[in-house]
Amino acid sequence: MGRRFTQAAAGAQGAEAALPGPCAHDVQWAGERRSAIGVAFLLFTALFTADAGFGSLDVTRGVLWTGLAGLIFVILLPPRVSVRPGLLSARGLLMTNTVRTDVLASVHWSDGVAQRMILRDTDGSQVEIDPTVLVRNPAMWRLLDTDTRSSLRHGTLVHGATALRQLAQRIDRETAHTVFKVSGLY
């Protein structure tokens, strides 16, 4: 096993070992990882086969196609998000970003095509996640919601109550839609 590089505040890493309780992971991450592998492999196979079919395949082009497929995999692989009482972690290919959710300082949406939620704690640690991870994982949302309410009570969450309220409304809407769909009312 290799070493994992982490980027978190000193307090967040020590707290991770000290906090007992349930840990919720993204249940669809494995499927997204398989999709990223599949797309990268299909791209590599298509480029390699087309180049070999045209008779222009050589070592340089083979390395180029391998590198391109690897780059596509790295771009498509989502971070693995996990939540436990007091912590939210997003583990990427090389780094793990951890934020203390019981002492959040700010929560806001990022601008851009892909909407991201940025959480920052009082220690200065920051995690950027896709909000759909929380929408499709109710256990993760419950743990995060409990901790954000704690941050609001303690007064550490200065900016972000609106962003959290928007996310809660979105999750409630999706949950109601799912209940109606499963019960046959929709």
Side-chain angles (χ1 to χ4, degrees):
M1 297 246 188
R3 248 186 183 175
R4 191 164 296 283
F5 300 101
T6 60
Q7 205 176 31
Q13 290 298 70
E16 186 173 354
L19 291 175
C23 183
H25 296 279
D26 183 6
V27 294
Q28 294 183 356
W29 179 82
E32 290 180 355
R33 182 185 59 187
R34 279 191 300 274
S35 295
I37 291 169
V39 168
F41 180 74
L42 285 174
L43 177 70
F44 171 75
T45 304
L47 291 172
F48 199 80
T49 304
D51 230 6
F54 291 127
S56 58
L57 182 64
D58 59 3
V59 174
T60 306
R61 291 174 75 94
V63 169
L64 177 70
W65 300 148
T66 304
L68 184 61
L71 179 65
I72 292 295
F73 171 72
V74 169
I75 290 171
L76 293 178
L77 182 67
R80 182 163 191 169
V81 179
S82 63
V83 179
R84 69 179 59 215
L87 289 175
L88 183 140
S89 298
R91 188 175 70 198
L93 213 52
L94 297 176
M95 292 190 320
T96 299
N97 295 323
T98 303
V99 69
R100 297 260 325 258
T101 53
D102 54 348
V103 288
L104 284 176
S106 70
V107 177
H108 65 275
W109 301 104
S110 69
D111 295 330
V113 176
Q115 191 174 36
R116 298 282 186 238
M117 179 174 263
I118 301 170
L119 297 99
R120 183 170 297 157
D121 65 10
T122 55
D123 296 330
S125 298
Q126 177 178 313
V127 171
E128 185 175 327
I129 62 169
D130 184 359
T132 58
V133 170
L134 298 172
V135 171
R136 67 182 180 221
N137 294 287
M140 290 176 72
W141 169 245
R142 279 193 302 272
L143 289 171
L144 182 64
D145 186 43
T146 302
D147 286 338
T148 55
R149 289 176 194 269
S150 173
S151 293
L152 282 169
R153 267 194 317 275
H154 297 310
T156 60
L157 186 59
V158 180
H159 304 288
T162 304
L164 289 170
R165 195 170 28 257
Q166 290 171 344
L167 182 61
Q169 289 171 351
R170 179 177 170 189
I171 290 171
D172 290 344
R173 193 170 43 251
E174 292 288 329
T175 303
H177 179 74
T178 303
V179 167
F180 286 142
K181 195 174 197 178
V182 168
S183 65
L185 297 174
Y186 180 74

